[in-house]
Amino acid sequence: MVTQHDAVIVGAGFGGMGAGIQLKRMGLDDIVILEREDDLGGTWHVNRYPGLAVDIASVTYSYSFEPNPYWSRLFAPGNELERYAHHVADKYDLRRHMRFGTVVDGARWDEENRHWVVSVAGGEQITARYLLTATGFLSQPHTPDIPGIETFAGTVMHTTAWDGDRDLTGARAAVIGTGATAVQLVPELARVVDDLTVYQRTPIWVVPKLDVPIPRVVQRLFARVPFTQKIARAISTSILEAVMVSAVLHFRQAKFLNRGAALAAKAHLRRQVPDPGLRRRLTPDYDFGCKRPTFSNTYFRTFTRPDVHLESASIDRIEPDRIVTVDGREREIDTLVLATGFDLWKTNFPAIEVIGRDGRNLGKWWRENRFQAYEGVAVPHFPNFLTLNSPYAYSGLSYFTTIESQMKHIERLLSEVARRNADTFEVTERANTDFLDRMTSNLDDSVFYRGSCATSRSYYFNPHGEAALLRPTSTINAFREARAFPLEDYAIK
Ligand code: NAP
């Protein structure tokens, strides 16, 4: 069986594009990027709900090697992110490698031919020497199985399937969920609809968003003197890093920083919501950082509008024209918005079936053992495979930190494979176990294990109760290891 391509990358979001750029830099030009959606951009193509914006400063939430001097705001709106993704695809000549509307069913390692066989819906099989999955962390929408939800007769929209053509003026709407998406959506929706009820199961920590337009003169400065934008990036990245590393990962040593962040969020709530009863219901009872904190200047205030209601009683059932809570109260609605997030641990790790050496099924193995991936990218028994959205892969708060450190890992690993003129690489059991032990031990200092997270219902935790999503190290450490991991951690043959 002939090996058709150097590599197949699954996913044409920022992660898949970063991997593609890296492979092309290394001379691996025969690559195919498979994407189930009808265009590139991942999250920023799929999500179109009102209020969509980045909540990590745009100078940081972008490739460091491809700065965009023209972000309109400190936190760019979603459509600018999508435009940026298209710009990158064009500039780095990625588009000709992409196939859209291509759903990957699974991939199987073919030991005899030493390549991956990737199965695509419709029956086509594509073979490639390397397989890289960049299917995102938050890409499998979660629809809650609330009794009666399928009987609802009005408009139902998950936030990942927003119908921008539908006029919601005058609607009686309900939003289920109060995660980062709802925090952005609710204030915008409240402006349009006639009446809005927000069903909250778990309150969320919200801190102010220091968002301002970036004046033209600054944009021109960034364009003419790129070094100035580099400084802005360094400052914003350092602030994020301090929050993440100190307040979340080093909770044991720096509890006061975590408490400070919680106090800032509470003061923000006090400024926006005068009613102590409403404030109490909006205040989380778990530590800051157990769940991804959010940023908004308008979310809390929206609940003081007379036409917006916070419902914190659990939903009992949904009927064709109403939502009924467990205390028997009913609210008539015609529009139901599901801001209910994503399935991470059930369906996303991995997002496709991946069968490695000796028939090992990655999803099954992770579930029967522990979720693990060496440096967040490699798994024993899976030769020539890099899984870019894996347990312990997410580093820092900006996804671009993860992407760029993984690009460094790819560079070091595949350069060595080329230097030795080898066919395959596979991480050793020992290296993988050592990495998992180290991550587990680092987590011991974090808010996840030292703080009070039991009531947070955070997707940072897997079904085994381990906080196995984020890499519990500084991003400096992630970059250092990506550039200098011991080559003997891989069997290169
Ligand atoms: P999420 O954080 O997982 O929130 C989902 C919400 O739906 C939660 O409030 C959850 O309640 C609720 N929910 C789920 N099933 C429910 C049920 N059966 N009954 C009642 N409530 C239910 O999802 P998200 O808001 O879409 O955000 C996901 C992530 O996307 C964020 O954490 C962030 O990383 C990313 N994001 C980023 C940005 C950005 O600007 N960069 C913007 C939006 C999203 P519980 O908490 O009780 O489970």
Side-chain angles (χ1 to χ4, degrees):
M1 206 180 181
V2 62
T3 305
Q4 295 165 311
H5 303 287
D6 291 332
V8 163
I9 298 171
V10 186
F14 282 126
M17 294 208 301
I21 292 168
Q22 185 57 49
L23 294 181
K24 283 166 70 80
R25 277 178 182 164
M26 302 178 73
L28 295 171
D29 193 59
D30 185 359
I31 59 174
V32 185
I33 305 176
L34 305 176
E35 169 59 57
R36 72 178 177 190
E37 305 297 335
D38 61 2
D39 209 340
L40 60 90
T43 287
W44 302 100
H45 173 62
V46 170
N47 284 281
R48 292 174 179 280
Y49 59 82
L52 175 71
V54 69
D55 64 5
I56 303 289
S58 297
V59 285
T60 289
Y61 192 90
S62 44
Y63 298 105
S64 62
F65 54 84
E66 189 53 44
N68 170 20
Y70 301 111
W71 299 118
S72 66
R73 308 186 63 82
L74 216 45
F75 299 88
N79 59 357
E80 284 186 37
L81 266 301
E82 194 182 17
R83 273 210 302 280
Y84 174 71
H86 282 269
H87 159 77
V88 172
D90 289 335
K91 177 158 176 187
Y92 292 85
D93 187 26
L94 293 171
R95 210 179 279 273
R96 70 185 166 89
H97 300 281
M98 293 178 177
R99 280 178 53 182
F100 300 116
T102 306
V103 176
V104 175
D105 284 337
R108 181 177 53 79
W109 172 249
D110 178 340
E111 180 70 26
E112 198 186 316
N113 292 297
R114 279 174 302 200
H115 64 202
W116 283 92
V117 181
V118 178
S119 304
V120 170
E124 185 189 357
Q125 295 203 319
I126 302 168
T127 57
R129 187 170 172 208
Y130 300 123
L131 172 67
L132 296 91
T133 47
T135 44
F137 291 98
L138 302 160
S139 46
Q140 317 297 336
H142 166 65
T143 302
D145 53 358
I146 299 170
I149 191 165
E150 69 292 346
T151 67
F152 185 69
T155 303
V156 187
M157 280 192 279
H158 191 279
T159 49
T160 54
W162 196 263
D163 178 1
D165 293 335
R166 194 172 284 276
D167 184 8
L168 295 177
T169 315
R172 295 177 62 78
V175 171
I176 302 181
T178 52
T181 299
V183 166
Q184 294 186 335
L185 170 70
V186 163
E188 298 303 317
L189 203 54
R191 273 192 250 279
V192 181
V193 300
D194 203 38
D195 190 83
L196 177 63
T197 307
V198 179
Y199 287 83
Q200 167 188 277
R201 188 163 67 179
T202 311
I204 182 119
W205 286 110
V206 185
V207 289
K209 189 171 182 178
L210 307 171
D211 190 15
V212 285
I214 301 182
R216 283 244 173 258
V217 55
V218 176
Q219 294 179 19
R220 279 199 292 272
L221 177 69
F222 283 169
R224 283 199 200 127
V225 192
F227 184 65
T228 53
Q229 194 172 12
K230 278 201 175 127
I231 294 174
R233 182 180 176 107
I235 294 170
S236 126
T237 307
S238 307
I239 294 170
L240 281 180
E241 184 73 355
V243 171
M244 181 66 194
V245 174
S246 316
V248 176
L249 297 180
H250 289 300
F251 178 79
R252 179 150 64 150
Q253 296 84 353
K255 210 174 274 175
F256 66 97
L257 278 171
N258 187 291
R259 298 285 181 249
L263 284 175
K266 281 185 181 165
H268 182 45
L269 175 59
R270 233 181 353 261
R271 274 194 301 274
Q272 298 212 339
V273 177
D275 173 4
L278 181 57
R279 271 205 312 261
R280 207 171 310 116
R281 292 198 294 142
L282 286 165
T283 305
D285 64 353
Y286 54 87
D287 278 329
F288 184 90
C290 293
K291 209 173 187 152
R292 189 184 186 282
T294 63
F295 308 83
S296 173
N297 301 327
T298 48
Y299 176 71
F300 286 142
R301 185 182 299 133
T302 302
F303 290 100
T304 63
R305 292 175 59 128
D307 52 358
V308 176
H309 325 283
L310 177 70
E311 182 52 82
S312 45
S314 304
I315 299 174
D316 180 63
R317 62 184 185 279
I318 297 177
E319 296 183 354
D321 63 348
R322 67 197 60 216
I323 297 184
V324 185
T325 42
V326 285
D327 52 10
R329 282 178 302 115
E330 306 186 351
R331 196 168 284 273
E332 241 182 87
I333 55 161
D334 52 36
T335 304
L336 176 60
V337 176
L338 303 175
T340 43
F342 303 86
D343 273 330
L344 197 70
W345 299 101
K346 264 196 236 149
T347 54
N348 203 44
F349 278 161
I352 57 167
E353 183 178 75
V354 184
I355 310 285
R357 202 160 50 73
D358 304 327
R360 179 176 286 184
N361 178 314
L362 181 59
K364 197 159 174 281
W365 185 73
W366 269 342
R367 279 158 188 79
E368 286 172 0
N369 296 274
R370 291 170 64 194
F371 285 89
Q372 54 197 285
Y374 167 76
E375 294 286 342
V377 295
V379 186
H381 276 252
F382 292 85
N384 289 11
F385 173 52
L386 294 171
T387 168
L388 304 179
N389 302 109
S390 281
Y392 302 112
Y394 204 106
S395 182
L397 271 181
S398 166
Y399 184 29
F400 284 85
T401 310
T402 306
I403 296 169
E404 291 198 30
S405 63
Q406 293 183 335
M407 288 170 74
K408 300 280 174 224
H409 194 106
I410 294 170
E411 183 180 11
R412 178 167 171 79
L413 175 60
L414 297 193
S415 302
E416 185 62 11
V417 172
R419 198 185 64 78
R420 294 195 206 170
N421 204 13
D423 282 335
T424 60
F425 67 81
E426 182 182 322
V427 70
T428 65
E429 299 273 6
R430 182 202 47 76
N432 178 61
T433 304
D434 288 354
F435 181 79
L436 178 61
D437 289 348
R438 189 155 55 88
M439 294 306 106
T440 308
S441 151
N442 285 3
L443 276 170
D444 203 34
D445 287 342
S446 73
V447 71
F448 307 121
Y449 293 0
R450 290 283 158 179
S452 161
C453 290
T455 55
S456 67
R457 285 180 180 269
S458 168
Y459 65 74
Y460 289 163
F461 291 87
N462 69 23
H464 306 156
E466 294 177 306
L469 178 64
L470 306 180
R471 178 188 172 109
T473 75
S474 67
T475 58
I476 293 167
N477 170 279
F479 272 104
R480 195 188 313 124
E481 290 188 13
R483 281 198 197 96
F485 61 84
L487 290 167
E488 58 274 19
D489 282 358
Y490 283 95
I492 297 175
K493 296 183 191 157

